[in-house]
Amino acid sequence: MKSAEEDAYGYSQNNSISLALSNPCPPSQYHHLQTSPSLSISISQPSSFSPQDNMSSVGYFQTSGTRSNGAPTLESPRIEITAYGQFPEDEVEENSVPVAKRVNSIVTLTLPSIDGYRDPTCLSPASSVSSRSCHSDASSYESGFSYNYDNSPQNSPWQSPCVSPKGSSSLQSCTLGASPRHSPSGSPHTSITDDSWMGTRGSRPNSPCGGKRKYSFNGGQSHKYHPYSPNHSPGPSPHTSPRLSVTEDTWLPNTNQYTNSAIVAAINALTTDGLADLGEGIPLKSRKTSLEHSPSMNLKVEPGGEDTGSLELCQEDFSSARLPFKKETYCSGFLDVPQHPYWSKPKPYISPSLPALDWQLPSSSGPYSLQIDVQPKSHHRAHYETEGSRGAVKALAGGHPVVQLHGYMESEPLTLQLFIGTADDRLLRPHAFYQVHRITGKTVSTPSHEVMQSNTKVLEIPLLPESNMRAIIDCAGILKLRNSDIELRKGETDIGRKNTRVRMVFRVHINQPNGRMVSLQVASNPIECSQRSAQELPLVDKQSMESCAASGREQMLLSGHNFQPDSKVVFVERAQDGHHIWEMEAKVNRESSKSHPDQPSTSTCIWTEENWYPDEGFSPFQLPDGVWVSCN
DNA sequence: CGAGGAACATAT
DNA sequence: ATATGTTCCTCG
């Protein structure tokens, strides 16, 4: 279905050649180092390549967001060198070079073919690209004040102004938080929203269906699929949705979000306001435990954006195009009970056309630069809904993360958004299994409030000029959603097991004097969220690296493509600040590449422990010349 | 609350 | 059987 979707959107096919020899290796194998290193190389050479231009002038850039060779809208030549094998995982050091940061700006230029990095059979949690699925959102905010401007094409490429086909429409959702939430263990704050996006869950663990455990959504198990979120389903087939279910008293259709244009179209054809019709898709019952629901739904038709050459234009067009729907986008019921003076003020800077959370944005644009001055600790035990809050994410030094927007000279305060994203450098997107959790209390100095954008909870924090546009993030905890709950979501393809690394993603949208809006984004270093540290893994050793290099060389020779026999990959070890710094020099002869005769024949990248991922090895790198290199 | 630890449940 | 996921319990 995915491919179909892509085709429908006119995605250009990625011509990358994946030579992945990766053995279908289960994650466990990585850990056990049972597989011999292998390396795959794929070369993709787009017709045009102008990385620099791609992002520099653009506020944001949307990724294809598709798992299957999600051909990036903008392609650049790339070589993917993927080695599978035996590299142990290294602890991510917090003080090290912010990989995310480094890669971030690059990533925005081009996205590697997702599949190219891994064998589909060994889907690695950290890299799966799925949290994009749109599902219904139901949200209730503990804060009491919340609004939802979730009208941005959150999860599907086609919703992108730049990519979406004309005429496409989407159903957006808006939710009204209403029912109070019961929190099993305690903190009233804990849950809230959580139930919202995922529907409900029992107070008791619901384990994945598989074997004995059954999902007790509503006391019953039965449905594993929830038609209400036709995200990837063929069509809107209203059935009962275990997740959304309803509570005894409060029953209201939850918000649904449709990613599939066909579905949307179908629904649109059925109803304009969709409310009534969609209601049918909601189950009559819900899991017992989820007593709280945020009933309410607001469907909105999203006009398709025009394909413009300039992303910036796209954005504007997009904005204006959506304006008419703005009204529908906001749930009137939300705009009440401000929680903090700051939030009670109008927020003109919040446009209804904010880029979807899975869009890749640059961390800087023009004079503006969003930076994480103090990185969060590399480990933070997330809490479950069944637990009380485990506090805010802290910084290594004991304080809290700090984010600052540089280059902003206006007097208008801005809003810093924060959500939990994947730790996958290849594609930063909301993490399906974690949500940011708002922390309140005397120890918290930073005001914040929550907003739902698609299935993702977003914490909004004021960025004030008087504070030098600097915010101390002491109000953000991390909530873990049960894997079984998430995996059951229609359209969800990510797997939760061992997918415990996240990143704090910060965004800021700046309305410029000229009326244009610039959206910036920066992600923190990866944060391990599980209680126990991942199983012990041997450190990366030179031998392994060399083995990988050798394997890579072999593969390059085998590939034959742009790599000539004299091509080679060399790993060099050196120390730097106590970290292992591995320098990989990939010398490739690309003479055969007529389209890029100017490309340098030698590429070099550096892999450090920071971008080492348990199941995937090193995160991919995009070399200066646009070449992507990954070593799994 | 906010942790830390660990029992208990599943997945590999 | 081992590793990872979730829920519980305890303590300051």
Side-chain angles (χ1 to χ4, degrees), chain A residues 571-582:
Chain A
F571 290 88
V572 179
E573 177 185 19
R574 61 194 176 81
Q576 181 178 301
D577 301 329
H579 293 286
H580 288 297
I581 299 298
W582 296 93

PDB file of all heavy atoms in Angstrom, chain A residues 571-582:
ATOM      1  N   PHE A 571      39.274   2.371   7.483  1.00  0.00           N
ATOM      2  CA  PHE A 571      38.893   2.881   8.778  1.00  0.00           C
ATOM      3  C   PHE A 571      40.156   3.202   9.562  1.00  0.00           C
ATOM      4  O   PHE A 571      41.091   2.416   9.616  1.00  0.00           O
ATOM      5  CB  PHE A 571      38.081   1.854   9.553  1.00  0.00           C
ATOM      6  CG  PHE A 571      36.721   1.639   8.965  1.00  0.00           C
ATOM      7  CD1 PHE A 571      36.533   0.705   7.963  1.00  0.00           C
ATOM      8  CD2 PHE A 571      35.640   2.396   9.398  1.00  0.00           C
ATOM      9  CE1 PHE A 571      35.272   0.507   7.417  1.00  0.00           C
ATOM     10  CE2 PHE A 571      34.380   2.204   8.853  1.00  0.00           C
ATOM     11  CZ  PHE A 571      34.197   1.257   7.859  1.00  0.00           C
ATOM     12  N   VAL A 572      40.154   4.332  10.105  1.00  0.00           N
ATOM     13  CA  VAL A 572      41.320   4.735  10.876  1.00  0.00           C
ATOM     14  C   VAL A 572      40.879   5.091  12.284  1.00  0.00           C
ATOM     15  O   VAL A 572      39.889   5.795  12.479  1.00  0.00           O
ATOM     16  CB  VAL A 572      41.985   5.976  10.233  1.00  0.00           C
ATOM     17  CG1 VAL A 572      43.183   6.388  11.055  1.00  0.00           C
ATOM     18  CG2 VAL A 572      42.370   5.659   8.804  1.00  0.00           C
ATOM     19  N   GLU A 573      41.579   4.594  13.210  1.00  0.00           N
ATOM     20  CA  GLU A 573      41.197   4.883  14.589  1.00  0.00           C
ATOM     21  C   GLU A 573      42.060   5.992  15.164  1.00  0.00           C
ATOM     22  O   GLU A 573      43.248   6.068  14.925  1.00  0.00           O
ATOM     23  CB  GLU A 573      41.362   3.636  15.451  1.00  0.00           C
ATOM     24  CG  GLU A 573      41.034   3.899  16.921  1.00  0.00           C
ATOM     25  CD  GLU A 573      41.329   2.683  17.781  1.00  0.00           C
ATOM     26  OE1 GLU A 573      42.096   1.829  17.324  1.00  0.00           O
ATOM     27  OE2 GLU A 573      40.787   2.612  18.890  1.00  0.00           O
ATOM     28  N   ARG A 574      41.424   6.810  15.906  1.00  0.00           N
ATOM     29  CA  ARG A 574      42.197   7.831  16.582  1.00  0.00           C
ATOM     30  C   ARG A 574      41.389   8.255  17.794  1.00  0.00           C
ATOM     31  O   ARG A 574      40.192   7.988  17.901  1.00  0.00           O
ATOM     32  CB  ARG A 574      42.487   9.008  15.665  1.00  0.00           C
ATOM     33  CG  ARG A 574      41.287   9.745  15.140  1.00  0.00           C
ATOM     34  CD  ARG A 574      41.723  10.661  13.990  1.00  0.00           C
ATOM     35  NE  ARG A 574      40.603  11.337  13.373  1.00  0.00           N
ATOM     36  CZ  ARG A 574      40.044  12.413  13.855  1.00  0.00           C
ATOM     37  NH1 ARG A 574      40.492  12.920  14.981  1.00  0.00           N
ATOM     38  NH2 ARG A 574      39.037  12.987  13.237  1.00  0.00           N
ATOM     39  N   ALA A 575      42.038   8.850  18.694  1.00  0.00           N
ATOM     40  CA  ALA A 575      41.346   9.232  19.912  1.00  0.00           C
ATOM     41  C   ALA A 575      41.043  10.722  19.921  1.00  0.00           C
ATOM     42  O   ALA A 575      41.783  11.520  19.342  1.00  0.00           O
ATOM     43  CB  ALA A 575      42.222   8.885  21.110  1.00  0.00           C
ATOM     44  N   GLN A 576      39.974  11.035  20.549  1.00  0.00           N
ATOM     45  CA  GLN A 576      39.631  12.443  20.634  1.00  0.00           C
ATOM     46  C   GLN A 576      38.739  12.634  21.841  1.00  0.00           C
ATOM     47  O   GLN A 576      37.631  12.108  21.906  1.00  0.00           O
ATOM     48  CB  GLN A 576      38.893  12.881  19.369  1.00  0.00           C
ATOM     49  CG  GLN A 576      38.527  14.354  19.382  1.00  0.00           C
ATOM     50  CD  GLN A 576      37.849  14.755  18.084  1.00  0.00           C
ATOM     51  OE1 GLN A 576      38.446  14.603  17.018  1.00  0.00           O
ATOM     52  NE2 GLN A 576      36.624  15.247  18.157  1.00  0.00           N
ATOM     53  N   ASP A 577      39.194  13.361  22.747  1.00  0.00           N
ATOM     54  CA  ASP A 577      38.401  13.613  23.937  1.00  0.00           C
ATOM     55  C   ASP A 577      37.904  12.331  24.579  1.00  0.00           C
ATOM     56  O   ASP A 577      36.766  12.248  25.015  1.00  0.00           O
ATOM     57  CB  ASP A 577      37.193  14.487  23.577  1.00  0.00           C
ATOM     58  CG  ASP A 577      37.634  15.812  22.989  1.00  0.00           C
ATOM     59  OD1 ASP A 577      38.719  16.282  23.383  1.00  0.00           O
ATOM     60  OD2 ASP A 577      36.915  16.346  22.151  1.00  0.00           O
ATOM     61  N   GLY A 578      38.745  11.400  24.622  1.00  0.00           N
ATOM     62  CA  GLY A 578      38.344  10.166  25.264  1.00  0.00           C
ATOM     63  C   GLY A 578      37.386   9.297  24.470  1.00  0.00           C
ATOM     64  O   GLY A 578      36.945   8.268  24.934  1.00  0.00           O
ATOM     65  N   HIS A 579      37.055   9.716  23.314  1.00  0.00           N
ATOM     66  CA  HIS A 579      36.131   8.924  22.515  1.00  0.00           C
ATOM     67  C   HIS A 579      36.868   8.251  21.381  1.00  0.00           C
ATOM     68  O   HIS A 579      37.914   8.698  20.936  1.00  0.00           O
ATOM     69  CB  HIS A 579      35.058   9.824  21.907  1.00  0.00           C
ATOM     70  CG  HIS A 579      34.161  10.410  22.927  1.00  0.00           C
ATOM     71  ND1 HIS A 579      33.199   9.708  23.573  1.00  0.00           N
ATOM     72  CD2 HIS A 579      34.111  11.668  23.430  1.00  0.00           C
ATOM     73  CE1 HIS A 579      32.567  10.486  24.425  1.00  0.00           C
ATOM     74  NE2 HIS A 579      33.113  11.683  24.364  1.00  0.00           N
ATOM     75  N   HIS A 580      36.275   7.193  20.971  1.00  0.00           N
ATOM     76  CA  HIS A 580      36.852   6.521  19.822  1.00  0.00           C
ATOM     77  C   HIS A 580      36.385   7.280  18.591  1.00  0.00           C
ATOM     78  O   HIS A 580      35.199   7.472  18.391  1.00  0.00           O
ATOM     79  CB  HIS A 580      36.315   5.095  19.707  1.00  0.00           C
ATOM     80  CG  HIS A 580      36.867   4.198  20.757  1.00  0.00           C
ATOM     81  ND1 HIS A 580      38.209   3.901  20.842  1.00  0.00           N
ATOM     82  CD2 HIS A 580      36.263   3.529  21.761  1.00  0.00           C
ATOM     83  CE1 HIS A 580      38.395   3.082  21.872  1.00  0.00           C
ATOM     84  NE2 HIS A 580      37.228   2.837  22.440  1.00  0.00           N
ATOM     85  N   ILE A 581      37.271   7.709  17.864  1.00  0.00           N
ATOM     86  CA  ILE A 581      36.882   8.407  16.652  1.00  0.00           C
ATOM     87  C   ILE A 581      37.332   7.552  15.491  1.00  0.00           C
ATOM     88  O   ILE A 581      38.509   7.270  15.314  1.00  0.00           O
ATOM     89  CB  ILE A 581      37.587   9.787  16.549  1.00  0.00           C
ATOM     90  CG1 ILE A 581      37.182  10.642  17.732  1.00  0.00           C
ATOM     91  CG2 ILE A 581      37.199  10.459  15.236  1.00  0.00           C
ATOM     92  CD1 ILE A 581      35.708  10.952  17.799  1.00  0.00           C
ATOM     93  N   TRP A 582      36.391   7.150  14.768  1.00  0.00           N
ATOM     94  CA  TRP A 582      36.731   6.310  13.636  1.00  0.00           C
ATOM     95  C   TRP A 582      36.576   7.114  12.374  1.00  0.00           C
ATOM     96  O   TRP A 582      35.527   7.696  12.118  1.00  0.00           O
ATOM     97  CB  TRP A 582      35.801   5.105  13.575  1.00  0.00           C
ATOM     98  CG  TRP A 582      35.967   4.219  14.747  1.00  0.00           C
ATOM     99  CD1 TRP A 582      35.245   4.256  15.904  1.00  0.00           C
ATOM    100  CD2 TRP A 582      36.939   3.199  14.904  1.00  0.00           C
ATOM    101  NE1 TRP A 582      35.709   3.297  16.768  1.00  0.00           N
ATOM    102  CE2 TRP A 582      36.752   2.639  16.174  1.00  0.00           C
ATOM    103  CE3 TRP A 582      37.966   2.703  14.083  1.00  0.00           C
ATOM    104  CZ2 TRP A 582      37.533   1.595  16.654  1.00  0.00           C
ATOM    105  CZ3 TRP A 582      38.729   1.667  14.560  1.00  0.00           C
ATOM    106  CH2 TRP A 582      38.512   1.122  15.842  1.00  0.00           C
TER     107      TRP A 582
END
